[in-house]
Amino acid sequence: MALFHFSVTQVRRSAGQSAIASAAYRAGERLYSDRYGEYSDYTHKGGVACAEILLPPQAPKEYQDRQTLWNALEAAERGKDAQLAYSFDIALQNELSLEENVALARQFLLENFISRGMVADFAVHQPDKGDGGIPNPHFHVLCPIRPILESGKWGGKQRREYLLDDHGERIRDEAGNFKFNAAPTTDWGRPETLEAWRAAWADLCNAKFAEKGLPCRIDPRSYLRQGLAILPTVHEGPAVRQMEARGIATDKGEVNRWIRATNALLKDLRQKVKALFGWLREVREELSRPQAPTLADLLSAYYGARSAGAWSNKGKAVNLKQFAETVNYLTGQKLYTVEDLEARAATHDETLAGLKAGMDRRQRRMKELRELLEQATTYSKLKPVHEQMNAIHWKGKREKFRADNEVDLRLFYMARRKLQPHFTPEGRLPLTAWRKELERLQQEYEADYARYKPIRADLMKLLKVKSCVDASRRQRERTQERRRDMER
């Protein structure tokens, strides 16, 4: 199944990251960092199909060497909390071969990144699907945030835009310095640029699908922006998928099963509402003719015909009871005409749309809270490993410890990076507040979900009325045909 995933983050020193380590991991290589005086070795990493560096014309040719490129960037970035590079994670398509996917990725980077003067270090990953899971081909791209000038030197990431008065003169502050705003030197980090890149990638993939005669297509817009009443599932990741494949239930797996069940219910309700609207249009056309029967007339004819064909008084009594219950239901709901039914169906549709919007908002926040709580658990669990490493002063022993605990340390750094904006000045996380908010949202979500039951029950009753009326109309048509035949 064709899918769209296109995300971008930043490689930052403030998050304990380095450009060398990031490039080594994505390319599956062993690279030496001049800044830190250590190697990042990922030669044991599997699933790296290919890795390549694409350079704009003004870039020095020696930057084709991955270690040279990223050490040069690390040297140009002097700040201890510097933002080093953009990191893109883009899904490839299972419908295409590896060669087609690589060619598509290269074409996309050349047309959208290199043409802007950007450097792109990209690596295609095609990990083994394992345990019968779905293959997950994708490619990573590292792009320095700092541009390369026409001279081949690293340029600035920001420039000063001085504030001017009505006479075009620079304005000074109280200290006598000229006032200015810091503006980026490129448009690479603008949301509009990211949206254009996402759309360009979707267009390339869809054009390839069309070229191969495949019916599948991808859309860079969210379900909400596409106008689809679908709840998005949470990202599971390879570890969760492997556990689920082995029959081990996980929290994320349970959430996704719940979401899929809700989506199935929403789809069922939408189909029934759509079918009901179609039937209402047909009945309205029928009833718009002169002396068209009312719903009560049609139901009376239907149950009257059933009673006439009944074999026993008991059957006739059942038909009479059902007719009475149906008429009482329609009367109680004040549904006398097709227009009344249509208005009721429209009300249901509007109610469903409102519930869906609220469920979407809560689902997005619950997803965010679950991820934060999960990262907090990882951070607390692995923090002693990080502290133990920092307590080792002998370089060789420290490097050995780092290598032995590489996975735990990488998970710790990732958790710390994601939690960084949420730490209080005292270094604490609002875990209790998160859990209470998650519990409240869960209860509100379940309350909204429970409101679907009476709506669906009402739809079933309306559909039952439709079935009876349709049968009555067919019966009337047969009677009219027999009369025409006799008149001939």
Side-chain angles (χ1 to χ4, degrees), residues 224-430:
L224 181 62
R225 290 176 59 190
Q226 294 180 52
L228 300 178
I230 301 175
L231 299 175
T233 55
V234 299
H235 179 67
E236 294 180 349
V240 172
R241 290 178 181 174
Q242 291 175 7
M243 293 175 65
E244 290 284 340
R246 294 196 297 268
I248 303 174
T250 63
D251 290 341
K252 287 185 176 180
E254 291 295 335
V255 170
N256 280 341
R257 279 186 282 274
W258 180 25
I259 291 173
R260 293 186 185 101
T262 303
N263 282 334
L265 176 60
L266 290 170
K267 181 180 179 181
D268 179 61
L269 289 174
R270 289 195 302 272
Q271 290 175 342
K272 286 181 170 57
V273 169
K274 182 178 179 181
L276 181 60
F277 271 116
W279 168 75
L280 288 173
R281 285 192 297 269
E282 295 178 1
V283 175
R284 184 172 57 183
E285 292 175 359
E286 178 69 22
L287 296 181
S288 64
R289 299 172 183 175
Q291 298 180 351
T294 64
L295 291 177
D297 293 334
L298 293 170
L299 289 171
S300 178
Y302 171 76
Y303 283 103
R306 287 189 57 175
S307 295
W311 289 92
S312 64
N313 290 330
K314 182 178 180 181
K316 295 179 180 179
V318 170
N319 290 328
L320 180 61
K321 180 181 178 182
Q322 291 179 353
F323 171 70
E325 289 176 349
T326 304
V327 172
N328 287 337
Y329 162 72
L330 293 173
T331 303
Q333 299 296 322
K334 298 182 180 180
L335 302 175
Y336 306 110
T337 66
V338 174
E339 288 75 12
D340 295 337
L341 281 174
E342 187 173 33
R344 171 59 55 81
T347 300
H348 286 339
D349 193 49
E350 183 178 352
T351 302
L352 287 174
L355 289 172
K356 174 64 174 56
M359 292 170 69
D360 274 350
R361 289 193 299 271
R362 294 182 180 89
Q363 184 63 32
R364 288 192 295 270
R365 180 56 180 165
M366 287 192 292
K367 177 182 177 182
E368 179 183 353
L369 290 171
R370 289 190 184 96
E371 182 176 354
L372 288 172
L373 290 170
E374 182 179 348
Q375 294 297 333
T377 301
T378 301
Y379 177 86
S380 176
K381 177 182 177 182
L382 300 179
K383 185 177 180 181
V385 179
H386 181 256
E387 293 175 343
Q388 184 178 353
M389 182 189 71
N390 288 338
I392 301 174
H393 301 290
W394 186 43
K395 181 178 179 181
K397 187 175 181 181
R398 180 186 176 96
E399 291 181 350
K400 184 177 184 305
F401 184 91
R402 187 198 304 274
D404 292 342
N405 297 272
E406 177 184 351
V407 174
D408 287 347
L409 288 171
R410 187 166 66 250
L411 292 174
F412 171 80
Y413 289 139
M414 181 177 66
R416 184 177 65 180
R417 181 178 72 255
K418 292 184 177 181
L419 294 170
Q420 191 66 38
H422 305 282
F423 282 107
T424 65
E426 296 80 18
R428 298 180 179 177
L429 293 169

Side-chain angles (χ1 to χ4, degrees), residues 156-162 180-187 190:
K157 292 185 290 189
Q158 293 181 335
R159 66 176 182 274
R160 294 185 177 185
E161 291 185 350
Y162 290 96
F180 66 89
N181 292 325
T185 57
T186 69
D187 65 348
R190 295 179 59 186

